[in-house]
Each structure stands twice: as C-alpha cells, then as structure tokens.
Amino acid sequence: MLDLKFIRENLEVLKNKLSKRNLEINLDHVIEIDQKRREIIQEVETLRNERNTVSEIIAAAKKEKKDASTEISRMKEVSQKIKGADTTREEIEATLRDLLLRIPNIPDETVKEGKDPSDNVEVKRWGEPPQFDFDPKPHWEIGEKLGILDFERGAKITGARFTLLKGAGALMERALINFMLDLHTREHTYQEVFPPILVNRTSMTGTGQLPKFEDDLFHLVDPDYFLIPTAEVPVTNIHQEEIIEGKNLPLYYTAYTPCFRKEAGAYGKDTRGIIRQHQFNKVELVKFTSPETSYQELEALLNNAEEVLKRLNLHYRVVSLCTGDLGFSAAKTYDIEVWLPSQKDYKEISSCSNFTDFQARRANIRYRSEPKSKPKFVHTLNGSGLAIGRTAVAIIENYQQKDGSVLVPEVLRAYMGGMTKIG
RNA sequence: GGAGAGAUGGCCGAGUAGGUCGAAGGCGCUCGCCUGCUAAGCGAGUGUAUGCCGAAAGGUGUACCGAGGGUUCGAAUCCCUCUCUCUCCGCCA
C-alpha cells in the first residue's frame, strides 16, 4: 500500500512511475474519493465537537438538578446527523481503502523499464552448463524410470499437478530442505521458524496477495483461512501490528514450508513434470530492515540464495526483472534461474525482492530508530532459498548419467545416508 | 466439542447504581535537584492516530479502555455478536 499523503502530494510523478508497470491504474479516482473523505470527516468532527460540548453542559445542569430538556432534544437531532454522516464516512473510507490496496508498489529507480520478461536484464552468470555425450532427458522421464517420481498416483490421490515422491526422491526432498536450512541458519545467521501454513485474510492482505489475487489461492470456507502460497506470508506477518526496537534490526528469518498455488491462468504451461505443482516445498528467506539498508540487504539475500546453487554446483544466471514483469508488491526483484539441460534454457528457481515499506504499511510493521523516536515503517524483503522441487529437478537433469542414474551432489550425500547415486 | 474466568496506557493494576475518565495508583522510562561513586530520596514529565492554527516551541479539535454493532442527549461502565487468552472436562497426532 502506498501512503495516501504521498499520493496526494506527488500525483504526477507517481502516475509516471506506475505507468511503467504493465497495467492500468486510475489515481485520479483515488484523489477524488480522498477529497470527499476529508470533507465528510470535517463535518462529522464538527458535529461531534458540538455534542461533546453540550453534553458537558447537560451533565453540569443535571448535577445542579436544573432542567436540560431543551439541550437534550437539540442533541437528539445532532446525534441523528452524526449517525448519518458517519455512515457516509464509513462507506467512503471502505471504498478508498479497497482502491489503495489494489495499487501496486512503485518500481525502484534502478529497475529497467520494460514490457515483459524479454526485457529483463541478465546481471550475472555462474558456472557452466554440463556437457553430455548423450541426449539429456527431461526429469520426468528419469524420475519415473528410477521410481522416485510417480505422477499417476499423485493424480489419483488428489488430481493434476500433484506428484507422489518415493524412495530416494522423497529422501532427496528432505535432504535438500535440511541442507538449505542448515546453510542459512549456521552460516548466514537466519533464525529458523516454522509458521502456520494456513493463514487468515488479514495476513494475506498484509503481504499483498489479497484483495487482488484471491483466485490464485486455495481457500478454506469454514473457517475463512487460506493455504499459504509462500512462507513469505506467515513469516512477514510475524511482526504484523508491531513496533520493533531499532537496535534489533535487521531481522533475518528462514522457514521451510509447503506452498500451495492454484496456478490459475497457467493452463498448458509446464504441464509435464514437477516444475509447476499445486503443492511444493520451499525454503524461504525473509528480512526486516531499516529503509536505509534495504537495498544492500537485498544484494546480500540474493547472495545467500545463490550460495545454495554454488554448493550444489548447478549452473545459473541472475536476472533483474523489468518494470512490466515486476510483482505487485515488489519495488525490485532478482530472479535466479537455474540451467535445465532438457530445455536448454534457464528456469526460475528463486525470486528475491525488496518490498520497501509497501507490505509494512499494509501489515503495520514499524520500528523506532531511537527508543523515543517516532515509529517508522520497516522495509521487508524475501527470497526463495530455494524452491525445493525445482532444485530437485535441476539435480536430476544436470547430474543424470548415460545409464539413467543420477549422481548425488557432494554436499547432499551426508544428508542422504551417504548415498552417492540414485539408480 | 462442553463448562467457567478474563481482555484497560511500555508493564502491573484501579475504575460496573452511565456524565467533568485518555482514564487513579504503582513500576518502568526521561529530565532536574540532592548525596564523595552506585543505590536510596525529592520535584517535574511520560500513549497512539489524525485534522486545523503556528516558522518553531506549542496550542486546539476528533477518535481510540480486545473487535464490531446496539441502547442513550451522553458508554471503559448497560445490551448483543465475534475474536483471543487462561482454567477444567471430553477428544486427538
């Protein structure tokens, strides 16, 4: 959410900046509603002031046992007026809030203007694609043959885009989770948390999934809860409605959770294999920082996520998303894309973003730089560190052997009971 | 799921025959005084949000006593609904 005052005072600049995103936003309407809101507030407050003043007179009169019936009947009318005006005020404020919640974050200055993913900027590359003296197979063929990925049974148990992991496949999933959590907690000083994976409407609104993207979420009707699409939601909301002491910033959290996405609008995309599932595992990195340090913290967070791929010795590149491809809540985003031999292309495996004060304002997460100073909004950041399923895909494809087996990356062996090869 | 208790300012905790309560008192914190250091003591101050006035200091209006609604000229106080916390019982990984 953007600051209403900021919108009011920087309307033209803001229009220009938001126009770089690939969507329509009507800010004039917001200004118009805000104007109405301010007028009605004035009206209500003037009436209330009258009521409060006369109430004291009535109280004094009653105490002295004097008659106050004239004032009382006059205040009856005033109260009626207050009621009416207040209802109008509430309606206007609800409308305004809903409008504000649907305005995306402002892209950072350093984000390139562009329409779609083709305009994203590659900022770095690490390692080399592996060379094969045979035709590398896609992970679903390898996985099925090895008996570690079972698509038919996943679909039978639940439906499309659900997969059953078996044996070494399940083991590798667990090993990857542990490996990543250990790396981030022991070497990158993140605190491990395990949050609820069902959250309420307020939390979803706080991080920006609601009200605009309800169709992408799995929703429980009774109670009115949602399955998280990413650990970003519960972890960022840890400090919802809190004032953090400045000396405690920055805060680093890491969490493993399953994630659930409807993938509405992705029909026909990545239908084979486990690239795009309704349920997948992810280790997430979340930071709460002061506004001054958030961009350098973003670079550090990106490095922390990259480190996972380096240790697994998987070739990847990093791209900086252009304004048209930037997510709703983000001011700046780096995607890490890992090399997939079967596609001869890079596939997103992590997305690291600075949300500046956008989520903090929605979720009301503030900090005090000095013990007595006025609370200000923190900056929130997060990134995948990494998506587990897609990491498994990358390992299966990049470490595949001619005989159909898959070598286990060195760092993972200790986590898999010393296993060096699957198959 | 059943029965009961509770939710007040940074914390503890008063305040229920409705009116001058943004809210006693204590703790904590800040500033000052005092004491050869520390402690104790004394004095003053100490919530948030937002509008208006002011260069600023500050002044002033409005709202907030878990949330929402109702009764009333007027609600922390009365009524209803909800949420959360605690205790006991049941069930359960």
Side-chain angles (χ1 to χ4, degrees):
Chain A
M1 191 159 68
L2 302 181
D3 181 21
L4 186 56
K5 208 165 167 185
F6 181 85
I7 298 176
R8 206 185 295 143
E9 289 166 5
N10 303 275
L11 188 59
E12 292 312 313
V13 181
L14 194 57
K15 275 186 188 171
N16 178 32
K17 287 191 170 178
L18 290 182
S19 70
K20 293 174 182 168
R21 282 180 177 268
N22 214 355
L23 33 91
E24 283 292 309
I25 304 143
N26 188 349
L27 285 181
D28 289 322
H29 191 213
V30 173
I31 295 292
E32 203 178 293
I33 303 277
D34 178 46
Q35 184 59 37
K36 276 196 207 159
R37 174 186 144 264
R38 281 139 59 85
E39 282 164 16
I40 194 87
I41 285 176
Q42 275 308 319
E43 191 183 327
V44 171
E45 291 195 351
T46 309
L47 287 168
R48 281 202 174 130
N49 184 16
E50 184 180 1
R51 188 177 71 186
N52 288 345
T53 315
V54 179
S55 273
E56 276 183 39
I57 296 171
I58 294 170
K62 288 257 174 176
K63 207 170 183 183
E64 292 169 33
K65 305 237 187 305
K66 282 198 228 152
D67 176 59
S69 53
T70 322
E71 280 81 6
I72 289 178
S73 61
R74 206 178 99 226
M75 283 308 103
K76 256 183 198 174
E77 271 176 52
V78 172
S79 276
Q80 278 311 310
K81 276 197 221 163
I82 292 176
K83 215 169 260 184
D86 217 31
T87 307
T88 312
R89 198 210 81 224
E90 276 165 23
E91 286 164 4
I92 291 173
E93 287 190 340
T95 309
L96 183 64
R97 181 170 167 77
D98 188 67
L99 284 172
L100 286 175
L101 286 174
R102 289 166 192 276
I103 298 171
N105 201 356
I106 307 164
D108 183 57
E109 295 292 341
T110 62
V111 174
K112 185 194 165 195
E113 189 170 344
K115 271 207 336 265
D116 53 51
S118 65
D119 292 320
N120 293 345
V121 186
E122 181 175 313
V123 294
K124 61 177 124 169
R125 245 174 228 236
W126 184 88
E128 295 290 334
Q131 298 301 313
F132 296 96
D133 56 2
F134 59 95
D135 227 12
K137 296 189 173 63
H139 69 277
W140 57 86
E141 280 183 24
I142 304 165
E144 272 191 311
K145 207 162 228 171
L146 289 172
I148 58 175
L149 299 178
D150 191 334
F151 299 103
E152 279 190 28
R153 290 202 174 98
K156 182 171 70 178
I157 296 166
T158 308
R161 295 195 194 275
F162 286 88
T163 304
L164 173 68
L165 301 180
K166 296 190 298 194
L171 175 60
M172 184 160 74
E173 191 85 357
R174 176 156 61 93
L176 283 168
I177 294 166
N178 286 332
F179 160 62
M180 292 182 199
L181 284 175
D182 283 349
L183 174 65
H184 297 312
T185 55
R186 292 174 190 169
E187 298 186 42
H188 299 152
T189 69
Y190 289 74
Q191 190 191 2
E192 182 173 351
V193 291
F194 193 85
I197 59 179
L198 290 178
V199 302
N200 59 33
R201 212 165 259 282
T202 305
S203 293
M204 279 295 183
T205 307
T207 33
Q209 282 73 21
L210 290 180
K212 244 187 137 175
F213 307 103
E214 185 157 353
D215 289 348
D216 301 338
L217 301 168
F218 284 103
H219 181 207
L220 271 63
V221 173
D222 183 25
D224 184 29
Y225 291 159
F226 296 85
L227 275 74
I228 58 167
T230 156
E232 157 193 351
V233 178
V235 177
T236 305
N237 278 287
I238 288 175
H239 295 295
Q240 178 199 118
E241 296 290 335
E242 288 185 15
I243 299 174
I244 301 166
E245 278 185 57
K247 67 169 164 46
N248 292 334
L249 292 180
L251 289 169
Y252 294 0
Y253 292 104
T254 185
Y256 151 71
T257 69
C259 302
F260 303 88
R261 297 183 184 177
K262 274 199 179 166
E263 297 296 345
Y267 302 112
K269 229 176 167 183
D270 305 313
T271 48
R272 303 214 58 181
I274 58 169
I275 290 287
R276 194 175 298 272
Q277 299 276 286
H278 287 310
Q279 175 187 331
F280 63 96
N281 292 313
K282 183 157 59 67
V283 167
E284 187 75 1
L285 304 170
V286 176
K287 288 186 176 185
F288 298 81
T289 78
S290 67
E292 294 76 26
T293 59
S294 64
Y295 280 100
Q296 87 196 42
E297 291 285 357
L298 175 63
E299 300 296 324
L301 188 145
L302 173 66
N303 286 335
N304 296 153
E306 283 178 59
E307 187 61 26
V308 177
L309 289 173
K310 286 181 181 168
R311 300 218 182 173
L312 291 167
N313 202 21
L314 290 166
H315 171 54
Y316 68 87
R317 66 170 188 171
V318 175
V319 300
S320 177
L321 300 193
C322 72
T323 52
D325 198 26
L326 206 58
F328 177 76
S329 304
K332 178 166 185 159
T333 299
Y334 291 114
D335 275 3
I336 304 177
E337 301 180 338
V338 70
W339 177 257
L340 293 187
S342 71
Q343 302 191 4
K344 293 190 172 49
D345 201 1
Y346 298 91
K347 190 78 196 173
E348 178 187 341
I349 197 166
S350 171
S351 194
C352 302
S353 305
N354 185 356
F355 301 93
T356 60
D357 61 0
F358 187 84
Q359 293 180 326
R361 186 171 289 106
R362 289 173 160 244
N364 200 21
I365 308 168
R366 293 172 296 171
Y367 79 105
R368 249 187 261 275
S369 48
E370 300 299 325
K372 286 280 172 186
S373 62
K374 198 176 142 95
K376 289 195 292 184
F377 291 114
V378 299
H379 280 195
T380 58
L381 299 85
N382 69 57
S384 349
L386 310 163
I388 303 295
R390 289 191 180 181
T391 306
V393 166
I395 290 170
I396 291 170
E397 294 202 1
N398 283 283
Y399 282 84
Q400 63 180 298
Q401 304 296 301
K402 200 168 189 172
D403 64 0
S405 67
V406 172
L407 291 181
V408 175
E410 202 106 28
V411 287
L412 237 42
R413 293 179 184 172
Y415 289 95
M416 294 177 66
M419 190 182 287
T420 56
K421 196 172 83 166
I422 302 171

